[in-house]
Amino acid sequence: MSASLAVAGLVATSACSSSSSGSPEDLIANIKANKQVTIGTSNDAPWSTVSDSGEAVGIVPDILREFLKRADIDATIKSTAMPFDSLIPSVSSSRIDLIGDAIFATEERAKQVSFTRTIFVNPDGLVVREGNPDKIESVADLCGRVGATYKGTTWVEDLKAASARCPNGEAIDVKVYSTIFEVMQDITAGRVDGALIDASLAAYALVQNPGLGVQLAPDYVSPTVDKSQNALATNKADKTFASTFNPIYEAMLADGTVAKIFDHWGLKPIDQFLPK
């Protein structure tokens, strides 16, 4: 299973590195001076991964490369892999310049980091065993069963809230894992009955490797589509990145560049993931 997910580009490692030197208030100046932007990722294909050779790969790195080109900034992207729940602490402590991954721009997180405009929409999916033998089509169907997600996501609280609504004696046994592929492994092994994970990551992993032994529950409708707005995030003190990035990204959306990037990485239907 681990090897299969590695092929799917979902290998997560824990690492941190120092980001560019300079004032945390002016990330754009730091990037120009150091000719590098260090991004943090939890290795979520197709959004953002680190290749075996250390290259930043995926939709977010491609967006950033196009942004740097249009902003006339001569800089390369260095990607650092780490667990999802390490991303905000790492950008807050300036160990990385930017969270370059799929992360919801919530009000709570905005107290800790500075977000750009929404760059894509990415709701949760309900992942179950292949063939869905237990007929799990909603989070409520996990009452009396084992439900899971991974650390740092908003779905931890969603599962706990759903558990609180279950009939007496039929609470959801909520399991929280470090990585998305650990969740999938335990679904396949029968230790988890259903899990809330990133819909695009699940779909991409299944396209890359149909033999994972899991599937997306076909009738599941995410109740959080309107809240699944993903953005780039910088140190809370930064005052320059979002104001530089946002208008350029608007132009990239308008001229179809973002849609082409999504299409290249197999995200279809494209409109499902474009900012609303």
Side-chain angles (χ1 to χ4, degrees):
M1 172 66 75
S2 295
S4 298
L5 286 166
V7 172
L10 294 170
V11 181
T13 58
S14 177
C16 289
S17 64
S18 298
S19 70
S20 305
S21 59
S23 169
E25 296 184 359
D26 195 343
L27 178 54
I28 291 295
N30 294 342
I31 294 172
K32 289 179 177 179
N34 292 283
K35 297 184 180 298
Q36 179 175 276
V37 54
T38 300
I39 67 172
T41 174
S42 58
N43 258 342
D44 295 331
W47 298 112
S48 181
T49 64
V50 184
S51 71
D52 291 341
S53 62
E55 181 185 5
V57 177
I59 291 171
V60 175
D62 283 355
I63 287 171
L64 284 171
R65 290 186 182 98
E66 182 65 19
F67 158 69
L68 293 171
K69 177 183 176 181
R70 295 190 185 203
D72 197 25
I73 298 174
D74 179 18
T76 57
I77 300 171
K78 178 182 179 183
S79 192
T80 300
M82 61 186 70
F84 186 86
D85 59 345
S86 294
L87 292 171
I88 288 179
S90 293
V91 78
S92 296
S93 61
S94 295
R95 283 179 287 173
I96 58 175
D97 296 319
L98 193 73
I99 296 178
D101 206 337
I103 182 170
F104 289 170
T106 66
E107 290 183 7
E108 188 61 31
R109 287 170 176 164
K111 297 175 183 177
Q112 304 173 73
V113 297
S114 290
F115 284 110
T116 63
R117 58 148 293 143
T118 299
I119 60 171
F120 57 82
V121 178
N122 191 28
D124 56 300
L126 180 60
V127 177
V128 297
R129 278 186 287 281
E130 188 172 17
N132 198 9
D134 298 315
K135 308 302 180 186
I136 296 170
E137 297 293 351
S138 70
V139 176
D141 291 336
L142 292 174
C143 289
R145 300 178 181 274
V146 180
T149 188
Y150 49 104
K151 289 181 180 179
T153 69
T154 59
W155 302 316
V156 176
E157 295 306 316
D158 289 346
L159 283 171
K160 290 179 179 178
S163 179
R165 295 191 294 269
C166 290
N168 289 336
E170 295 185 25
I172 300 171
D173 183 5
V174 178
K175 304 291 186 184
V176 182
Y177 293 78
S178 294
T179 64
I180 197 171
F181 59 80
E182 289 174 332
V183 177
M184 288 189 177
Q185 285 177 326
D186 273 12
I187 293 173
T188 302
R191 291 186 285 268
V192 170
D193 297 301
L196 292 180
I197 65 175
D198 182 305
S200 66
L201 304 190
Y204 181 79
L206 290 169
V207 167
Q208 296 295 305
N209 190 342
L212 291 178
V214 301
Q215 70 172 68
L216 284 162
D219 295 328
Y220 176 72
V221 178
S222 171
T224 61
V225 172
D226 60 333
K227 298 179 181 178
S228 58
Q229 310 294 308
N230 289 254
L232 301 176
T234 64
N235 187 290
K236 185 67 175 175
D238 177 60
K239 302 182 187 308
T240 61
F241 188 84
S243 61
T244 305
F245 175 85
N246 289 350
I248 291 177
Y249 195 68
E250 290 278 359
M252 291 169 60
L253 285 167
D255 66 19
T257 298
V258 177
K260 290 178 181 177
I261 291 173
F262 285 8
D263 183 66
H264 172 75
W265 287 98
L267 285 192
K268 297 177 182 179
I270 294 170
D271 286 347
Q272 177 179 336
F273 299 101
L274 289 173
K276 304 297 186 290

